[in-house]
Amino acid sequence: MTGTILNPKIEKYLNDILPKRDSLLAEMEKLANRRDIPIIGPACGRLLYLLAKISGAKRVFEMGSAIGYSTIWWARAMGPQGHVYYTDGDASNARRAREYFIRGGLERRITILVGDAMKSLQKTPGKFDIIMIDVDKPQYIDALNAALPKLRKGGLLVTDNTLWSGKVVNRGGDESTRTIQKFNNKVYGKPTLYPVIVPLRDGVTVAQKL
Ligand SMILES: C[S@@+](CC[C@H](N)C(=O)[O-])C[C@H]1O[C@@H](n2cnc3c(N)ncnc32)[C@H](O)[C@@H]1O
């Protein structure tokens, strides 16, 4: 859950200062730690929560949801009037996520879609206040192309891992690194987006569609 961007002492400070999570999130964090499931973690979870709250979002589409940890932060932030679309290609992740959503009393606020996130997004009617990209990194350009037409004007595109353990500064990296570099250049080059990379954990880009 921790990234390698920051000075480790600062990273530790940012994690130690966090309030304790409730038992559901704490259990998910433990499972993610034990099984190496790459969830966004509590420091970034709070950022998602804050973004949903201050933007008044009511519809969130998540591309790549795993066990539903980030989904829960969105669903809690928006309250009973909000709705989150969970997507994952792995049906066993979705089964586990559903159990967590039921235990958290959130199942009515979340639609679970199993399959390719880009296809699921295209098939889901309407536009979204927030779209989050967190699929496999070589798919980030496809995810961006799928997300932009489905994001409402003024809406937020939130993308995880955009500093990719700091590897974005290297030339000639692997496919994931090269795709993230291309993704970052594209996002900053688009006049219709106003992006900021927040160097929290592994880097989170928050971009508003203008
Ligand atoms: C980094 S994890 C998501 C973590 C989650 N956002 C969180 O922070 O709790 C990425 C997930 O995306 C899923 N995934 C990767 N490519 C996908 C695709 N094209 N469509 C749907 N899910 C995909 C993987 O199965 C994996 O569970």
Side-chain angles (χ1 to χ4, degrees), residues 37-41 62-71 87-90 93 115-118 132 134-137 139 160-161:
I37 303 169
I39 62 168
I40 199 154
E62 210 178 45
M63 306 173 81
S65 304
I67 57 171
Y69 180 83
S70 48
T71 322
T87 63
D88 208 274
D90 182 333
N93 273 345
D116 180 69
M118 282 69 93
M132 177 172 168
D134 199 9
V135 289
D136 291 344
K137 309 315 150 192
Q139 301 173 27
D160 193 27
N161 308 110

Side-chain angles (χ1 to χ4, degrees), residues 102-130:
I102 291 169
R103 279 175 53 195
L106 296 166
E107 73 275 20
R108 291 159 77 107
R109 302 185 203 170
I110 299 167
T111 297
I112 295 178
L113 302 169
V114 179
D116 180 69
M118 282 69 93
K119 287 192 183 135
S120 297
L121 177 56
Q122 270 157 6
K123 279 194 221 148
T124 307
K127 296 210 172 186
F128 293 89
D129 301 313
I130 296 178

Side-chain angles (χ1 to χ4, degrees), residues 11 16 30 36 56 62 68 76 99 111 115 120 131 169 174 183 193 197:
E11 181 82 33
D16 289 351
K30 270 193 195 144
D36 245 339
E62 210 178 45
R76 285 182 173 172
E99 285 169 24
T111 297
S120 297
I131 298 179
V169 302
D174 59 15
F183 176 93
L193 285 178
I197 297 179

